[in-house]
Amino acid sequence: MLRGKQTWWFDKRPVIIGAATVVGPDEGDGPLAADFDLVHPELDMQQKSWEKAERLLLEQASEMALEKAKVNKQQLQFYVGGDLMNQIISNSFAARTIGAPYLGVFGACSTSMESLALASLIVNSGSGQYVLAGTCSHNCTAEKQFRYPTEYGAQKPPTAQYTVTGAGAVVVAPDGEGPVVECATIGKIVDLGITDPFNMGAAMAPAAVDTLTAHFNDTGRQPKDYDLIVTGDLATVGHAIAKDLFARDGVPMEDTVFGDCGLMVYDVQNQKVQAGGSGCGSSAVVTYGHLLKRLQKGELKRILVCATGALLSPLSYQQGESIPCIAHAVALESPMHQ
């Protein structure tokens, strides 16, 4: 099942049989609003704290994903998830509600594809029948933890990104109706010495390029073999850097549509989101809300989602550490493309 050095090839072809997304008001004002299952009109979602609001996002997305999959909580065998909060409390507390055996993971904003890769591995190996994968982020929790509370009103540079308020969850099974998880390329830590937490795109871009290059090497595929390749949240700065790095290395990304979830979830020109979206919710809501629907309809035959993550903490930043980054890529195939 291991192909090359970093890629898991899922020969049993696990299927995403249910997916759901829940977002906040800014995402509901964006171009993909119609593809989300639930849009909250207010950031607080009538909760007593931002952290409880984030947890609610994930609980709702998980519940709806299970409903769509026609799987009840008693049938669910494992839950794999993580988020940006200290001790991944959004997922750990949501897992308390979900009630399934729980594997908590942390890949920062790459967690959507990390959790999907692990869920698919469990199903493909025969170690689980129904596995839930989920992640979430909230603008007001992440900004408070990693930068400044939004209430503080600190001015941000143009390179800064806007954390997506949203959650996405999927149910993976060995068979059924839905997009197929073909393979997953697990990334390595890449750190080029960026220390600015307001320039995540520049820090994460080399990790995305490294993982996608490894994917092409391991699988023998080229960019043209995919209808769409998207990164998780490089936004305007990081996406431009990634394209330059691919051009330098002779990787023909111009042979496919190469996008970024952080640029798709918002109207960057007209919404006040700085360089674009970021956060665990960025790749989760775009992939599980928008892209899976396009795969289901057959508009896309095969896509590659490379979620990106900056593995810093407030403590490491305060101690002057640089920002190690990682990216995980998952290839998804339309059920109509056999």
Side-chain angles (χ1 to χ4, degrees):
M1 192 171 62
L2 179 65
R3 184 167 292 191
K5 295 182 178 180
Q6 299 172 227
T7 300
W8 294 332
W9 193 267
F10 301 127
D11 56 317
K12 303 294 178 59
R13 296 175 63 80
V15 179
I16 296 174
I17 61 171
T21 52
V22 182
V23 300
D26 293 312
E27 296 70 28
D29 288 336
L32 305 182
D35 288 330
F36 303 134
D37 293 285
L38 176 62
V39 177
H40 283 276
E42 302 291 341
L43 278 171
D44 65 4
M45 301 161 202
Q46 300 182 338
Q47 300 298 301
K48 293 183 179 180
S49 70
W50 301 126
E51 288 74 18
K52 289 184 178 181
E54 180 174 324
R55 186 199 316 168
L56 177 66
L57 288 169
L58 183 58
E59 290 174 342
Q60 291 176 327
S62 299
E63 182 177 340
M64 285 188 284
L66 289 168
E67 287 177 359
K68 289 184 180 183
K70 298 180 181 179
V71 173
N72 59 46
K73 290 182 179 180
Q74 288 69 40
Q75 293 173 297
L76 185 65
Q77 290 167 311
F78 295 101
Y79 171 58
V80 185
D83 52 79
L84 293 172
M85 293 295 93
N86 287 338
Q87 288 76 49
I88 54 172
I89 56 171
S90 296
N91 271 261
S92 297
F93 283 43
R96 178 179 63 186
T97 303
I98 295 167
Y102 168 56
L103 291 168
V105 296
F106 179 79
C109 305
S110 72
T111 300
S112 63
M113 293 304 106
E114 179 183 9
S115 57
L116 178 57
L118 289 168
S120 301
L121 180 66
I122 292 170
V123 170
N124 194 76
S125 68
S127 301
Q129 182 82 7
Y130 299 116
V131 182
L132 181 70
T135 190
C136 58
S137 57
H138 192 294
N139 184 272
C140 296
T141 63
E143 293 297 320
K144 179 173 69 173
Q145 177 164 299
F146 289 98
R147 287 171 283 271
Y148 298 106
T150 53
E151 298 89 339
Y152 182 68
Q155 186 172 358
K156 298 176 182 178
T159 56
Q161 294 170 237
Y162 192 85
T163 304
V164 169
T165 298
V170 291
V171 178
V172 183
D175 50 47
E177 296 184 2
V180 171
V181 186
E182 281 195 304
C183 59
T185 300
I186 307 304
K188 299 182 294 185
I189 297 292
V190 178
D191 187 345
L192 295 189
I194 300 292
T195 59
D196 183 3
F198 289 101
N199 195 3
M200 295 291 191
M204 293 186 292
V209 172
D210 186 81
T211 296
L212 288 172
T213 301
H215 176 83
F216 298 139
N217 291 337
D218 286 352
T219 62
R221 289 179 175 174
Q222 296 294 321
K224 66 181 180 181
D225 295 315
Y226 294 96
D227 297 322
L228 174 68
I229 297 175
V230 292
T231 49
D233 58 345
L234 299 184
T236 54
V237 176
H239 188 59
I241 293 172
K243 289 196 290 186
D244 287 345
L245 291 174
F246 280 126
R248 179 202 67 184
D249 296 341
V251 179
M253 294 299 283
E254 66 275 6
D255 290 347
T256 187
V257 178
F258 181 39
D260 181 77
C261 296
L263 297 176
M264 297 168 68
V265 68
Y266 297 124
D267 180 345
V268 177
Q269 299 300 319
N270 296 305
Q271 290 182 277
K272 296 180 180 179
V273 292
Q274 292 92 44
S278 68
C280 294
S282 177
S283 55
V285 302
V286 173
T287 303
Y288 299 158
H290 175 63
L291 297 181
L292 289 189
K293 287 183 173 65
R294 295 189 65 191
L295 284 169
Q296 192 71 37
K297 295 175 183 176
E299 296 176 2
L300 298 170
K301 295 179 180 179
R302 180 185 288 135
I303 67 172
L304 184 60
V305 182
C306 183
T308 42
L311 305 180
L312 80 164
S313 75
L315 179 63
S316 67
Y317 165 69
Q318 291 163 6
Q319 293 179 346
E321 290 281 356
S322 56
I323 303 173
C325 296
I326 198 163
H328 303 297
V330 175
L332 301 168
E333 188 177 79
S334 168
M336 302 176 68
H337 179 60
Q338 300 296 333

